[in-house]
Amino acid sequence: MAAHWVSFLQHDRRRSGHTVRAYVATAHRLIDFLERHRGGPIEPGDLVEITAPDLRAFVAQRRTDGLGAASAARELSGVRAFLKYAAERSGETPSLPRVRAPRRPRTLPRPAAPADAVSLAEDAAEAASQPWIGARDLAVLLLLYGAGLRVAEALSLTGRDLPLGATLRVTGKRSKTRIVPVMPVVREAIEDYVRQCPWPVASDAPLFVGARGGPLNPDLVRRSVAAARRRLGLPESLTPHALRHSFATHLLARGADLRALQELLGHASLSSTQIYTAVDAARLLDVYRHAHPRA
């Protein structure tokens, strides 16, 4: 059943590789828990009979293991998807037990100052082991901050996207495509990387490659950012994804329309984009508290 579940997520639901791995791991954890909880092996048909107390016990166990509220809510989302799939494969009408997800504290993204975002990218480039790798890291990080791309989106670009123009077509979550503008400084950084890269950039091959010419591992991007962050004394919240948050927050602060920002970020729902209005309000409040004599 596991192989069918993977295929369903990849081809029918078009989930990202990260989501597929997470959902499959969740399914295995659920089955392992149920076998201990019920004291026997779990067959595919047994999944249709899972009750709300079973799921509450599973979530409670995961919380005991140290899972936070947000992660527990994501785990429960994966469980629901798996149980719905199991019911449909068994020919049953999905009737999922009602279990409330743990309440998640609403946290705001922490944007970086524009100078910090640029300094981070430049420092990561300067510290690279080879000049072409430095050019690559600079190009990737400027794409995150200058175009609001997710790490996975930047690394999914191929030679087919060259030569770059004023805009770039990006494929995001659930294979949704969008058009993002490419600033001259970002375009120049990518062109410089392509000139220096010792590996030929084929039209059907990844644009950004690792030291041996294979696809660039996103963990290398995160490690490069973490090292630069430590050298510059910047907060730990300044991650690669925080550069995307910074892109959105800085555009909104300059008067960008919320609906246009939704399109640039590739959000399926406007509610996902509206969090940035709270980010900007928080920034204004911080300025007020530090500057107003009666704050």
Side-chain angles (χ1 to χ4, degrees), residues 9-87:
L9 291 171
Q10 289 176 331
H11 304 298
D12 293 69
R13 301 297 295 171
R14 294 186 178 182
R15 299 295 192 183
S16 69
H18 175 76
T19 300
V20 171
R21 289 190 295 273
Y23 273 28
V24 170
T26 293
H28 284 303
R29 282 192 292 268
L30 175 67
I31 292 172
D32 289 344
F33 169 81
L34 290 173
E35 287 178 344
R36 295 192 306 271
H37 186 63
R38 294 190 172 184
I42 298 296
E43 300 296 332
D46 297 331
L47 295 172
V48 182
E49 302 174 359
I50 285 182
T51 64
D54 290 332
L55 285 191
R56 280 195 288 269
F58 172 70
V59 173
Q61 179 61 60
R62 296 291 291 136
R63 295 282 276 160
T64 302
D65 292 339
L67 208 64
S71 297
R74 285 193 295 269
E75 185 96 333
L76 190 56
S77 176
V79 165
R80 289 186 179 122
F82 177 59
L83 293 181
K84 180 180 179 183
Y85 167 79

Side-chain angles (χ1 to χ4, degrees), residues 265-278:
L265 293 172
H267 285 160
S269 168
L270 187 62
S271 62
S272 300
T273 314
Q274 286 174 330
I275 188 173
Y276 292 105
T277 62

Side-chain angles (χ1 to χ4, degrees), residues 110-123:
R110 296 182 181 180
D116 287 346
V118 174
S119 295
L120 185 81
E122 292 176 344
D123 186 88

Side-chain angles (χ1 to χ4, degrees), residues 136-156:
R136 178 202 68 193
D137 290 351
L138 180 66
V140 171
L141 297 181
L142 288 183
L143 264 175
L144 305 187
Y145 177 59
L149 269 61
R150 301 175 177 93
V151 174
E153 291 170 346
L155 300 192
S156 70

